C-alpha cells in the first residue's frame, strides 16, 4: 500500500510543474519590501537540477512499486518521503500566491526528505534507493534556506545581505548534521550545487555572500570526503 501511495505522490509531484509552468520564484510584489534579485538566491541555471530530481524520484518510486513493494529496506523511508512529495505536489501553486505558507511547506518537505534519507541503508539498490532521496534532500535543505531568506528580506526583517549570510550559515549547519550521519555524497553534492549557484549569482555584485557560499561549499565537500572515508573498509589484518 505504501509503495502505491508513494508512486502516486511521485507522479503528482513530477507533473505539478505542468499546472504552473510560468513559476520563476516568489513574486516580489507579494511582499511589503519587494526582494528583487535577493543575494540568497542561486543563479538561474542551478534550478535545472529539478529535471534530474524529477526523473530520479520517479524511477525510485516506480522501481519500488514494481520490484520492492514489500522490501523492509525500501519501506522504511516511504512515509516521510510520501509526506514530502505530497506537499511538493501543491507547493508550486501555493508559492504563486502565498510565499510565507510555501516557505513553511518547504521546511516540512525538507524535513521529510532528510528523515527519509536517514532511514535508507547504504546498500543494496543504492542508486535507486538512497541516492535519489539524498539528492532531493540536499537540494531541499538549500531551497528551504533560500526561501526563508527571501521572506526575511521581503518583510524587512533582515537586510538582503544579512538574510543571505544567516541562511547560508543555517544551511551549512543542517547539511553538516545530515551529511555526517550518512554516507550519501549525493546529499552533499546537491547542497554544493546550490551554494555554487549562490556564488555565481553574487560573484560580481555581492562578494561577501559569494565568499561565504564558497567557504560553505568547501566545508560541505570536506564533510562528504570525511563521511565517505569513514565508510570505506579498512585494510584486512593478517592473522
Amino acid at each position: 500500500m505504501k509503495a502505491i501511495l508513494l508512486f502516486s505522490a511521485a507522479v503528482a509531484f513530477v507533473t505539478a510543474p505542468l499546472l504552473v509552468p510560468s513559476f520563476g520564484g516568489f513574486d516580489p510584489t507579494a511582499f511589503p519590501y519587494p526582494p528583487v534579485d535577493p543575494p540568497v538566491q542561486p543563479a538561474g541555471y542551478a534550478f535545472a537540477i529539478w529535471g534530474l530530481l524529477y526523473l530520479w524520484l520517479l524511477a525510485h518510486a516506480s522501481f519500488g512499486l514494481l520490484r520492492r513493494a514489500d522490501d523492509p529496506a525500501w519501506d522504511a523511508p516511504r512515509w516521510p518521503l510520501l509526506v514530502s512529495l505530497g506537499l511538493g505536489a501543491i507547493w508550486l501553486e501555493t508559492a504563486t500566491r502565498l510565499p510565507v505558507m510555501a516557505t513553511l511547506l518547504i521546511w516540512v518537505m525538507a524535513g521529510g526528505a532528510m528523515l527519509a534519507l536517514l532511514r535508507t541503508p547504504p546498500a543494496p539498490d543504492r542508486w535507486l534507493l538512497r541516492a535519489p532521496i539524498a539528492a532531493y534532500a540536499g537540494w531541499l535543505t538549500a531551497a528551504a534556506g533560500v526561501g526563508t531568506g527571501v521572506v526575511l528580506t521581503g518583510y524587512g526583517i533582515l537586510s538582503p545581505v544579512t538574510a543571505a549570510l544567516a541562511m547560508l550559515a543555517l544551511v551549512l549547519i543542517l547539511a553538516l548534521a545530515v551529511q555526517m550521519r550518512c554516507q550519501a555524497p549525493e546529499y552533499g553534492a546537491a547542497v554544493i550545487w546550490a551554494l555554487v549557484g549562490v556564488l555565481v549569482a553574487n560573484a560580481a555584485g555581492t562578494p561577501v555572500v559569494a565568499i561565504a557560499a564558497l567557504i560553505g561549499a568547501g566545508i560541505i565537500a570536506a564533510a562528504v570526503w570525511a563521511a565517505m572515508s569513514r565508510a570505506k573498509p579498512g585494510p584486512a589484518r593478517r592473522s
Side-chain angles (χ1 to χ4, degrees):
M1 176 60 73
K2 282 191 281 186
I4 296 174
L5 291 175
L6 182 61
F7 176 77
S8 300
V11 171
F13 179 64
V14 169
T15 57
L18 299 177
L19 303 178
V20 193
S22 61
F23 182 76
F26 293 151
D27 181 2
T29 62
F31 298 95
Y33 302 91
V36 179
D37 295 327
V40 73
Q41 190 161 293
Y45 79 85
F47 294 91
I49 194 176
W50 275 116
L52 171 64
L53 296 178
Y54 285 142
L55 292 175
W56 215 351
L57 288 168
L58 188 59
H60 163 83
S62 300
F63 184 83
L65 174 62
L66 296 175
R67 302 293 298 274
R68 300 290 189 270
D70 299 316
D71 189 314
W74 280 72
D75 223 27
R78 278 180 174 140
W79 279 130
L81 185 59
L82 174 62
V83 170
S84 183
L85 295 181
L87 292 176
I90 64 171
W91 188 85
L92 283 175
E93 177 62 29
T94 304
T96 60
R97 298 179 291 106
L98 302 168
V100 175
M101 178 60 69
T103 301
L104 295 176
L105 285 180
I106 203 169
W107 276 110
V108 178
M109 290 167 60
M114 287 186 277
L115 180 57
L117 170 60
L118 294 175
R119 290 185 177 184
T120 60
D125 301 324
R126 183 181 179 282
W127 289 105
L128 284 174
L129 177 53
R130 169 170 279 194
I133 297 176
Y136 173 62
W139 177 255
L140 282 187
T141 301
V146 169
T148 304
V150 173
V151 169
L152 291 174
T153 299
Y155 279 92
I157 298 172
L158 295 175
S159 70
V161 172
T162 302
L165 294 175
M167 289 304 102
L168 287 174
L170 177 59
V171 167
L172 179 61
I173 292 170
L174 289 175
L176 284 174
V178 174
Q179 186 63 71
M180 296 308 292
R181 289 190 61 187
C182 66
Q183 288 76 43
E186 299 83 8
Y187 176 85
V191 176
I192 291 170
W193 176 263
L195 293 177
V196 171
V198 174
L199 165 63
V200 171
N202 290 278
T206 318
V208 65
V209 175
I211 293 171
L214 177 61
I215 293 172
I219 293 173
I220 296 299
V224 170
W225 180 84
M228 296 307 297
S229 296
R230 291 202 315 272
K232 292 180 181 178
R237 295 183 179 180
R238 294 182 179 180
S239 57

